[in-house]
Amino acid sequence: MKRKKDAFVNVEGERFPGKTYVDQVLRHVFEGQRDYLRSSMFAIHYAHVIILTEQHVLSSIDAQKILRSIYQVEAENHGNVAYDERYEDFFFFIEDRIRQVASDEIISNMHIGRSRNDMGVAMYRMVIRTHMLEVQEALLTLADSILEQACQHATTIIPAYTHTQPAQPTTLGHYLLAIYDVCMRDLKRLQAAFVTINHSPMGAAALATTGFPINRERICELLGFEKLVENSYDAIAGADYLAEAAAAMAVCMLNCGRWIQDFLLLATKEFHGIIVADPYVQISSIMPQKRNPVSIEHARALASGSYAEALAVLHMIHNTPFGDIVDTEDDLQPYLYNSFAKAKRVFALMDAVIRTITINKDVLKERASKHAITITELADEVTRKGIPFRRAHEMAATVAKACAAQQKELYEFTLKEVNTILAVVSLTYEEWDHIISPASFINRRNITGGPALPEIQRMLQIRREEAKQHKESLRNMQAKIQHCATYLRVLVQQYVK
């Protein structure tokens, strides 16, 4: 046994980090930091040195030397840098490169008043907020196509379903507006999560701030954050910014998966409600008659993948200590980035499908006349004649059973036959025509939020205005962050020129 242990230790090494730890943790963390955090890391270096200088913690001469060294290292190509066991992670690799360029130990003063704790959380927040804005932009693009089709099909009659059974007629515009409204609630959840994320932890240092007179508000401004995470313990211990982002993504993908599944059903030959455009279908390698809606299938799978990645984040945070969990965050960050990336692919695919889709109006309209789908109106009409609602419902159910027994559609019954079944009340020809007409059914439902055209037009107008506001808000936030990044560069240039 001792020989086996000695052989193992001989490969692993006797000091930290052991080979297994390197292969299973450090190498992966290093590559993730290199690929995702590099830009935010350098921005934090710049901003922190500038505030140390403004607060007279660093001299202008030392600041110039440090910033020039950082600037030179930033210009290097680190895209293919491999893990080096001399450095615990990419952060320490970059720190050493800056020291090498400066050839002066004074470079270490760039770390006065900060820690890997507050810096790590700040990097994560900066990267996540960028992803969040990109996801919001992609979702708004998809929402545009949904809104456009809702406008085009405000009067396109379709059957609506409950419990997967034909329920009542509505319009495609009404259905698409429902999807749009869900998407907008998803957007608002993403916006709320963004507000939580866009707070600066810098200046918290390890957890209790620092004895140096740094200006937390100033570095918050330079990095484009909206506010501080004020309590310094909260700044490094709170992980709800991650949880909120993951939860918003999970709900969004859950919602998308449901209506994407509807689109797959609509595209089946049996249902034949929609035709997916040629660029987004694939022909079978052996069955040339097939038009496989692979774009929608991939969107559904990606939505499930994005949902799963977001849930992984929540599970990884669960039961972690209320303190610095930077190591856990190193491992979970890629899951969150993958969730964002897959969501953007879902939105792009479904945007393309929806913008180019063909609607089989005649097929859908005909289907909206079958299976006694307007019989709710019969119960309502009988109620208007003074029959208590529950009794009127039972009478309408009797007519529905007659349809099934005689294998007839509701509109195939004559007025005389229906009045005979109802017995206690008599309908007029005009009333019966309204009852069997999907269009009349829809037009009568002009209550707030209903499918009647005036209501659809009213809702469309409001949604268009809301969409404009969301886009403007998004552009303003993107511009603000970009402005802060540009301003930071201007300040840096004053030292490195």
Side-chain angles (χ1 to χ4, degrees):
M1 288 296 293
K2 185 177 184 302
R3 285 198 300 272
K4 288 184 178 180
K5 178 181 177 181
D6 289 344
F8 181 79
V9 170
N10 186 51
V11 174
E12 286 286 305
E14 296 183 351
R15 293 183 178 182
F16 181 85
K19 183 177 182 299
T20 297
Y21 190 75
V22 167
D23 291 342
Q24 305 307 321
V25 177
L26 294 182
R27 196 182 309 280
H28 295 276
V29 169
F30 183 95
E31 292 171 355
Q33 293 171 337
R34 177 197 66 196
D35 295 343
Y36 295 111
L37 303 180
R38 181 181 181 278
S39 177
S40 59
M41 182 185 297
F42 278 101
I44 292 168
H45 284 331
Y46 288 136
H48 190 69
V49 172
I50 285 171
I51 65 124
L52 289 178
T53 310
E54 291 176 347
Q55 295 298 111
H56 306 294
V57 177
L58 287 179
S59 69
S60 294
I61 293 174
D62 288 346
Q64 185 178 57
K65 181 178 290 187
I66 294 170
L67 288 170
R68 282 179 173 175
S69 301
I70 296 171
Y71 192 79
Q72 185 174 331
V73 173
E74 185 189 22
E76 297 173 353
N77 180 8
H78 302 122
N80 296 316
V81 172
Y83 169 79
D84 187 326
E85 64 181 19
R86 291 177 297 173
Y87 312 108
E88 182 180 337
D89 61 14
F90 187 68
F91 168 81
F92 290 111
F93 165 78
I94 291 296
E95 179 186 351
D96 192 57
R97 280 294 304 133
I98 296 169
R99 183 191 58 77
Q100 292 172 22
V101 169
S103 299
D104 192 331
E105 286 301 317
I106 198 68
I107 203 73
S108 65
N109 285 349
M110 67 187 282
H111 300 298
I112 290 173
R114 75 174 185 185
S115 162
R116 276 290 278 118
N117 293 3
D118 61 346
M119 184 179 175
V121 176
M123 287 190 294
Y124 297 143
R125 286 174 179 266
M126 291 172 72
V127 173
I128 294 169
R129 75 180 178 187
T130 299
H131 281 290
M132 289 288 278
L133 291 177
E134 290 174 352
V135 166
Q136 290 177 41
E137 187 171 26
L139 180 53
L140 279 169
T141 300
L142 170 61
D144 267 349
S145 62
I146 295 172
L147 206 57
E148 183 178 324
Q149 289 288 18
C151 181
Q152 292 293 320
H153 294 282
T155 58
T156 297
I157 298 172
I158 66 168
Y161 295 78
T162 61
H163 302 277
T164 71
Q165 301 301 307
Q168 292 181 333
T170 187
T171 65
L172 184 57
H174 191 228
Y175 169 79
L176 290 173
L177 272 175
I179 293 175
Y180 176 86
D181 286 350
V182 172
C183 287
M184 288 302 98
R185 290 197 295 275
D186 288 331
L187 179 69
K188 290 174 183 176
R189 278 182 280 269
L190 292 168
Q191 290 170 336
F194 179 85
V195 170
T196 301
I197 290 161
N198 199 28
H199 283 56
S200 173
M202 289 303 296
L207 63 84
T209 72
T210 174
F212 290 93
I214 65 170
N215 186 334
R216 292 192 68 198
E217 289 76 12
R218 176 63 169 160
I219 196 168
C220 174
E221 173 193 357
L222 291 177
L223 294 175
F225 287 110
E226 196 69 21
K227 294 181 180 179
L228 287 174
V229 183
E230 186 176 41
N231 184 295
S232 63
Y233 204 121
D234 181 24
I236 61 91
D240 52 313
Y241 76 98
L242 292 164
E244 194 170 345
M249 287 304 303
V251 173
C252 181
M253 290 298 97
L254 183 149
N255 286 334
C256 284
R258 295 182 67 206
W259 60 260
I260 289 172
Q261 177 65 18
D262 275 7
F263 274 69
L264 275 173
L265 176 64
L266 284 165
T268 61
K269 284 292 184 182
E270 289 78 6
F271 205 96
H272 201 47
I274 62 174
I275 299 173
V276 180
D278 287 348
Y280 311 110
V281 297
Q282 190 175 58
I283 305 303
S284 167
S285 62
I286 192 172
M287 296 166 283
Q289 86 282 5
K290 293 190 70 185
R291 298 181 78 256
N292 300 325
V294 290
S295 50
I296 307 179
E297 291 175 318
H298 281 293
R300 180 181 63 176
L302 287 166
S304 297
S306 177
Y307 172 78
E309 303 269 14
L311 285 187
V313 172
L314 295 173
H315 287 303
M316 292 176 77
I317 297 171
H318 183 244
N319 282 348
T320 55
F322 187 68
D324 170 40
I325 56 166
V326 69
D327 295 332
T328 301
E329 288 177 322
D330 281 335
D331 288 326
L332 70 79
Q333 288 291 326
Y335 290 96
L336 194 51
Y337 305 151
N338 289 339
S339 181
F340 291 134
K342 289 176 181 177
K344 286 183 281 188
R345 292 168 65 189
V346 170
F347 298 150
L349 279 168
M350 292 312 298
D351 175 61
V353 168
I354 290 171
R355 288 186 189 277
T356 58
I357 210 164
T358 299
I359 308 299
N360 285 331
K361 294 183 180 182
D362 292 340
V363 170
L364 293 171
K365 184 177 181 180
E366 179 187 7
R367 196 167 286 134
S369 299
K370 294 183 175 181
H371 310 296
I373 201 170
T374 61
I375 206 163
T376 301
E377 187 61 26
L378 172 58
D380 289 351
E381 193 62 54
V382 172
T383 300
R384 292 185 191 104
K385 291 180 176 293
I387 303 296
F389 175 76
R390 188 53 59 196
R391 175 61 181 145
H393 186 276
E394 291 171 356
M395 293 166 66
T398 302
V399 175
K401 290 175 183 177
C403 289
Q406 299 181 38
Q407 295 185 336
K408 292 171 65 173
E409 296 296 342
L410 184 63
Y411 60 79
E412 291 177 327
F413 278 89
T414 66
L415 178 61
K416 182 179 179 180
E417 289 173 324
V418 170
N419 282 335
T420 299
I421 296 170
L422 295 175
V424 297
V425 295
S426 293
L427 301 172
T428 67
Y429 283 105
E430 182 180 4
E431 288 167 345
W432 181 237
D433 286 343
H434 279 301
I435 289 166
I436 63 175
S437 167
S440 291
F441 184 100
I442 291 166
N443 291 337
R444 279 191 168 185
R445 279 148 180 81
N446 199 26
I447 302 299
T448 301
L453 182 58
E455 265 304 288
I456 296 296
Q457 290 173 330
R458 183 191 65 81
M459 288 190 284
L460 281 168
Q461 181 60 34
I462 292 172
R463 271 58 170 178
R464 288 192 191 98
E465 291 302 317
E466 287 178 346
K468 288 180 183 178
Q469 293 172 12
H470 285 307
K471 289 174 189 175
E472 183 178 359
S473 176
L474 178 63
R475 284 194 296 268
N476 289 341
M477 184 53 68
Q478 290 170 325
K480 179 178 179 179
I481 292 173
Q482 183 56 51
H483 171 76
C484 291
T486 302
Y487 174 57
L488 179 59
R489 286 283 170 180
V490 170
L491 292 179
V492 171
Q493 285 296 325
Q494 292 174 2
Y495 288 89
V496 302
K497 63 184 179 182

